[in-house]
Amino acid sequence: MNDLMWFLTRATGIVATVLGVAALCWGFFFSARETGRRLRPAWWLDLHNWLGGLALVFTGLHVATALLDGDLGLRIVDLLVPGAAVDDRWALAWGVIAMYLFAVAVFTSWPRRRFPRRVWRVLHLGSVVGVALAMLHAQQIGTEASTVAFMQGLLVLFGFGVQALLVRVLGVVSRMRR
Amino acid sequence: MNERSTSTERDALDARLAALAARRPAAARPVAGHAGASRTPSATGRTKRRHAAQGSRIASLGLSVASTGALATLFAITNQGSGDQVAAASIVAGPSVGVNVAATAVTATSGLAPASDASGPTPTVVDVTLPPPTGGVSPDPTSAPTSSTAPVEPPVTQAPAAQAQSVVVQGGVFHNKWGDVQVQATFAPDGSLVDVVTLQTPSRDGKSVRINDRAAPQLNAEALSVQSADVHTVSGATYTSTDYRRSLQSPIDAARQVGATTIV
């Protein structure tokens, strides 16, 4: 049973990170208006919202299965309070902070109109830091971090995220010049 | 004339709009709603949400669940379970240097998994400085048993050469979810266990290092104290303790096969 939870912890962690990066890319391409002509902007926005929510769900599963694996010796407080863990304090803290940043981005998207635009934007862009921290968490504490394939996959994901960010930033710069 | 013409145009426009409205099903008329989604009135009058990326949503959910299942299965297949032996015990110093102990003999005496199932590397023979023989009898390597099919529990008197000097045996390597465990045991000429060294313990992360730095000396001390592999589990180091017992049992069995000890 513990081994099953351990396998699921690792699998959900990887899937949550991939979904987080995908949501990030969809959001950046949408906001940069680089969505092409084939697919409607509404499709991009809808899928961006969905991927973000799905990333949060898989993050929750990752946390739950980690808690259920008794061999990991994690307490609830270790998984909810950044820096509370005795072992691997910072590696776990990055993961906990990333989870909160994802949650804030998702839960503030529904009542978006109740927030001032600037506040909402800051809260939403926190998820970019969240994705970066999730990757750092995976690199520092991931069981597969010692394997070449995992690190290559992580680098590819990082590359996708950076590319989407660049598209967004360059779009803003070009609009400002006009 | 002008007024009449405008009225006719308006009538025509209204008629055209009515015709268009009739052609368009009522259910397809979007109502303002959430960004990226729309609400359509259903037959019961309630609004039903329509998502712009409904198909892609289902596809991404399915892909995520399938990926999780596939990854978990892959981890289960590639992961060797607790207690799997990845290398057999090997005598590294003494009258039978280089002997890899027969897997069947180890299995018969300790219930361990046969080494023939092992996929890991075989331990290499290393140079070990031997303590001087206490009995004043020089060991005769040619008379030492070299076959891995030595009797499981030979009487001590049947292997006098093995009794003449200390025997150092590297235990089998056992793999658990945190890493590998391997111990090395030294047997005195009188067959007693005089030294146990932990060669490998899980050290993938800081937590494992801390746990095993604490557990290994305790396990070594207890093994020497009880003169067997039957040591207690160190709290917080269950996996290491279990595989420590298995790894220490393998050199004991190996040494017994060559008549270097009578410990069981």
Side-chain angles (χ1 to χ4, degrees):
Chain A
M1 184 64 181
N2 268 357
D3 276 352
L4 175 66
M5 287 300 137
W6 189 49
F7 301 143
L8 285 175
T9 302
R10 293 153 67 187
T12 50
I14 291 171
V15 171
T17 308
V18 172
L19 286 169
V21 173
L24 193 81
C25 291
W26 253 252
F28 277 140
F29 285 130
F30 172 76
S31 59
R33 294 167 198 171
E34 291 288 343
T35 52
R37 290 183 181 178
R38 243 187 92 231
L39 294 161
R40 290 175 298 152
W43 180 87
W44 286 84
L45 180 60
D46 189 32
L47 198 56
H48 164 68
N49 291 338
W50 175 254
L51 290 172
L54 211 54
L56 184 63
V57 168
F58 274 82
T59 304
L61 288 173
H62 176 62
V63 171
T65 50
L67 192 63
L68 288 172
D69 182 356
D71 294 333
L72 291 176
L74 292 170
R75 304 164 299 163
I76 290 179
V77 70
D78 296 341
L79 299 170
L80 295 179
V81 180
V86 177
D87 298 305
D88 302 307
R89 176 174 294 169
W90 290 111
L92 274 172
W94 304 141
V96 176
I97 294 169
M99 176 182 73
Y100 285 129
L101 290 172
F102 281 155
V104 165
V106 169
F107 290 120
T108 55
S109 287
W110 292 326
R112 178 181 170 177
R113 287 177 188 165
R114 297 190 179 192
F115 291 94
R117 187 165 174 77
R118 187 178 289 269
V119 172
W120 178 82
R121 188 175 283 232
V122 168
L123 292 174
H124 206 69
L125 286 178
S127 62
V128 180
V129 179
V131 169
L133 289 178
M135 286 186 176
L136 188 63
H137 166 76
Q139 190 270 327
Q140 288 191 347
I141 206 173
T143 305
E144 279 69 46
S146 55
T147 64
V148 176
F150 180 81
M151 291 310 292
Q152 284 175 342
L154 208 57
L155 278 175
V156 168
L157 279 181
F158 186 74
F160 279 132
V162 169
Q163 189 204 356
L165 182 64
L166 281 177
V167 166
R168 177 72 180 103
V169 170
L170 291 176
V172 171
V173 170
S174 67
R175 242 176 285 158
M176 282 169 70
R177 280 186 181 169
R178 274 185 247 145
Chain B
M1 175 74 184
N2 206 3
E3 243 177 58
R4 201 171 154 190
S5 166
T6 311
S7 170
T8 312
E9 279 174 12
R10 192 177 298 155
D11 288 346
L13 188 63
D14 287 345
R16 186 161 171 72
L17 284 171
L20 283 171
R23 273 166 59 183
R24 192 171 183 181
R29 245 173 261 160
V31 180
H34 180 68
S38 60
R39 288 178 190 275
T40 54
S42 66
T44 56
R46 285 184 184 170
T47 55
K48 188 181 169 187
R49 268 179 89 161
R50 263 184 83 240
H51 298 286
Q54 187 74 33
S56 303
R57 279 174 170 235
I58 294 167
S60 61
L61 176 63
L63 203 60
S64 301
V65 173
S67 301
T68 304
L71 281 170
T73 308
L74 179 73
F75 295 147
I77 291 168
T78 55
N79 179 69
Q80 289 161 308
S82 179
D84 280 358
Q85 188 174 6
V86 294
S90 174
I91 297 172
V92 293
S96 306
V97 171
V99 170
N100 281 335
V101 181
T104 48
V106 174
T107 306
T109 54
S110 65
L112 298 174
S116 55
D117 291 339
S119 55
T122 305
T124 51
V125 175
V126 295
D127 292 329
V128 176
T129 305
L130 296 172
T134 54
V137 180
S138 299
D140 180 10
T142 56
S143 64
T146 53
S147 167
S148 61
T149 54
V152 173
E153 290 187 57
V156 180
T157 52
Q158 286 182 1
Q163 293 290 305
Q165 69 176 49
S166 294
V167 175
V168 181
V169 190
Q170 280 187 355
V173 180
F174 287 82
H175 184 86
N176 62 53
K177 68 192 276 188
W178 305 116
D180 294 338
V181 177
Q182 186 186 24
V183 299
Q184 177 178 283
T186 305
F187 299 91
D190 65 355
S192 61
L193 190 60
V194 290
D195 190 28
V196 182
V197 179
T198 313
L199 299 178
Q200 293 185 63
T201 52
S203 57
R204 196 182 289 149
D205 51 72
K207 184 178 182 179
S208 294
V209 171
R210 272 191 294 280
I211 287 173
N212 293 307
D213 281 353
R214 178 176 56 84
Q218 288 184 37
L219 292 165
N220 292 340
E222 190 179 351
L224 291 175
S225 166
V226 300
Q227 288 289 302
S228 82
D230 190 19
V231 292
H232 290 102
T233 297
V234 174
S235 176
T238 309
Y239 282 83
T240 299
S241 301
T242 303
D243 286 340
Y244 182 95
R245 281 192 288 270
R246 292 164 188 242
S247 186
L248 181 55
Q249 188 63 51
S250 60
I252 290 173
D253 292 338
R256 201 173 56 243
Q257 281 183 34
V258 297
T261 186
T262 54
I263 294 173
V264 291

